[in-house]
Amino acid sequence: MAESGRARGALVALAVASAAAAAAIAALLVNISERKEEARDTFAQVVELTDETEDPAVWGRNFPLQYDGYRRTVDQQRTRYGGSEALPRAPTEADPRTVVAQERLDDDPRLRTMWAGYAFSVDFRKKRGHAYMLEDQTYTERVQQFSQPGTCIHCHASVVVPYTRAGNGDLVAGFEATNRLPYAEARKLFSHPIACIDCHDPETMALRVTRPGFLEGIAALKAGQGVADYDVNASATRQEMRSFVCGQCHVEYYFAGPEKRLTYPWAKGLEVEQIADYYDEIGFKDWTHAKTGTAQLKAQHPEFEMWSQGIHARSGVACADCHMPYTRVGARKVSDHHVRSPLLNVNNACQTCHKWPEAELVARAERIQERTVALRDRALDALMALIADLEAAAKAGASEAELAAARAAQRRGQFFLDFVESENSNGFHAPQEAARILGVAIDHFREGQVSLRPLPTRGR
């Protein structure tokens, strides 16, 4: 009887275990099925989106995960060499901001001398996230104290709807009309910083380029490479587009002609020498240096050009791979729209490819930046010495002809230095190229000094 009872107990236990296992397997299969369905159902269309849907919050009703990331670009978090901390300020009627970024001109007064006589010598702050791009431009002293054209808004606002309306249905015509307006008048037409509509087709969600400056700039670049009539939206691969949509704004540019047409100087290529040669060929200058009388160039923020010279670009790695890496939310794989430094998101941004500890990867990046910043400091010291020598030579009565070589050295060398100074990776996008550019800049500055100090002839 005892053995029979034990057998029955074992059978009952086995039945219970089998039932539990079956339930667990069933639950797992249901979960897998739900996850697969979730992965297939990439979004729920709550609202209809069109080329008139400018407000990103409306797009967010269909794409809440992406919109949540977009909203987080208000974060202000520093890396060792980038980003900014939030500084409180008392709002005024002219500037209602209660938080601003640090003033870089106070951190390094040499920049005031570098840009003497130009708007950047008055206000040049550390960068904040995309959420602030329109607000910070609106209230910068470069706009408040200086006359600026509406062209500036091209890279600081959501432009598709305002340009199209200003052009009576023609985006490029609206771009041209807005360029010619004074900044304050043009600013009234724009409501949002960069938004979903600027990078995505509202019907297909495909990536697209909408900035006329890039559309024309990349066509000029391709024409110089022998590709005529290049249409980026028709011809670029999806992986290329994951950089081109960023390159719409993170570029070098200038305002061409009295109509202030925003133009990317890429007809000769993307390297700094090619861009400087282009400017020399057309006789362009941004301003005349207040201390030396040099016809000067101001680099903007050439991240796209510098990235193009680096190992990541040559390896097919796009801007979005590092700054907007894919992440998992449940069963969904989405691009992280919290655009930020990869050093603040190493696991997703770096370790997907680089199988090293996070601390090691951060240390490597910071070492590159540390060396670039040190070389940049040497270049700035060399520039300060050349400017001082030019001032002294002019005061001593040197002729225009005698100053010409030193001024040419300042113009070219300062543009090279500024190309690295205004590029927001501190050398990381292309470490060897950044070091090379700074080395050439230093050489120009020292050659300029030598031109002002001719060696005595033999026999004297």
Side-chain angles (χ1 to χ4, degrees), residues 214-215 218-220 222-223 227-237 240-241 244:
F214 189 92
L215 292 168
I218 197 70
K222 292 293 186 179
V227 181
D229 303 320
Y230 181 77
D231 180 350
V232 62
N233 285 316
S235 301
T237 66
E240 287 176 323
M241 291 297 284
F244 289 167

Side-chain angles (χ1 to χ4, degrees), residues 80-366:
R80 182 178 176 187
Y81 290 103
S84 65
E85 296 174 358
L87 296 181
R89 71 177 296 276
T92 64
E93 184 175 345
D95 184 352
R97 291 177 298 174
T98 58
V99 172
V100 294
Q102 299 98 313
E103 177 59 79
R104 291 181 64 181
L105 300 175
D106 293 337
D107 292 344
D108 192 339
R110 291 175 298 180
L111 296 174
R112 297 185 190 275
T113 302
M114 178 176 175
W115 297 318
Y118 199 52
F120 277 83
S121 68
V122 174
D123 191 7
F124 179 57
R125 295 183 180 272
K126 294 181 179 178
K127 300 297 182 290
R128 298 204 288 173
H130 282 172
Y132 301 106
M133 60 194 297
L134 182 56
E135 176 184 275
D136 284 350
Q137 182 187 60
T138 302
Y139 298 110
T140 176
E141 293 301 319
R142 299 196 304 271
V143 168
Q144 297 293 321
Q145 294 189 30
F146 297 84
S147 176
Q148 302 287 3
T151 318
C152 301
I153 293 179
H154 180 275
C155 290
H156 283 264
S158 180
V159 302
V160 174
V161 174
Y163 278 173
T164 303
R165 289 175 178 170
N168 294 318
D170 186 326
L171 183 140
V172 174
F175 159 72
E176 294 170 339
T178 305
N179 289 344
R180 294 189 291 267
L181 296 175
Y183 180 85
E185 187 175 343
R187 176 63 182 83
K188 298 174 184 177
L189 304 176
F190 298 84
S191 304
H192 300 279
I194 188 171
C196 316
I197 194 172
D198 296 285
C199 302
H200 290 281
D201 183 300
E203 292 186 7
T204 67
M205 298 304 122
L207 292 172
R208 66 176 181 177
V209 171
T210 57
R211 266 29 180 210
F214 189 92
L215 292 168
E216 296 173 0
I218 197 70
L221 175 65
K222 292 293 186 179
Q225 298 170 347
V227 181
D229 303 320
Y230 181 77
D231 180 350
V232 62
N233 285 316
S235 301
T237 66
R238 185 175 184 279
Q239 185 66 356
E240 287 176 323
M241 291 297 284
R242 297 180 77 241
S243 291
F244 289 167
V245 292
C246 303
Q248 294 187 91
C249 294
H250 290 267
V251 292
E252 163 63 1
Y253 60 85
Y254 72 104
F255 301 163
E259 66 276 11
K260 302 299 182 182
R261 188 184 190 89
L262 187 125
T263 306
Y264 296 177
W266 294 349
K268 291 179 173 293
L270 297 177
E271 295 181 17
V272 65
E273 283 91 351
Q274 295 167 326
I275 294 173
D277 289 346
Y278 171 89
Y279 284 138
D280 287 346
E281 188 175 288
I282 66 172
F284 178 78
K285 70 172 183 178
D286 281 296
W287 92 104
T288 299
H289 197 275
K291 293 181 177 291
T292 65
T294 301
Q296 208 48 280
L297 299 170
K298 174 71 185 78
Q300 308 306 326
H301 26 67
E303 286 85 41
F304 180 78
E305 293 89 342
M306 190 70 83
W307 163 84
S308 296
Q309 312 307 315
I311 186 62
H312 286 94
R314 292 197 299 273
S315 301
V317 178
C319 304
D321 288 324
C322 302
H323 294 276
M324 302 175 64
Y326 289 114
T327 186
R328 285 283 179 185
V329 182
R332 296 182 183 179
K333 176 185 174 184
V334 299
S335 182
D336 187 352
H337 282 59
H338 182 191
V339 185
R340 53 187 154 157
S341 167
L343 296 181
L344 299 174
N345 190 19
V346 171
N347 179 253
N348 286 333
C350 308
Q351 289 179 313
T352 300
C353 298
H354 302 287
K355 305 303 182 182
W356 297 94
E358 181 171 334
E360 169 70 11
L361 293 174
V362 171
R364 289 187 188 187
E366 290 181 345

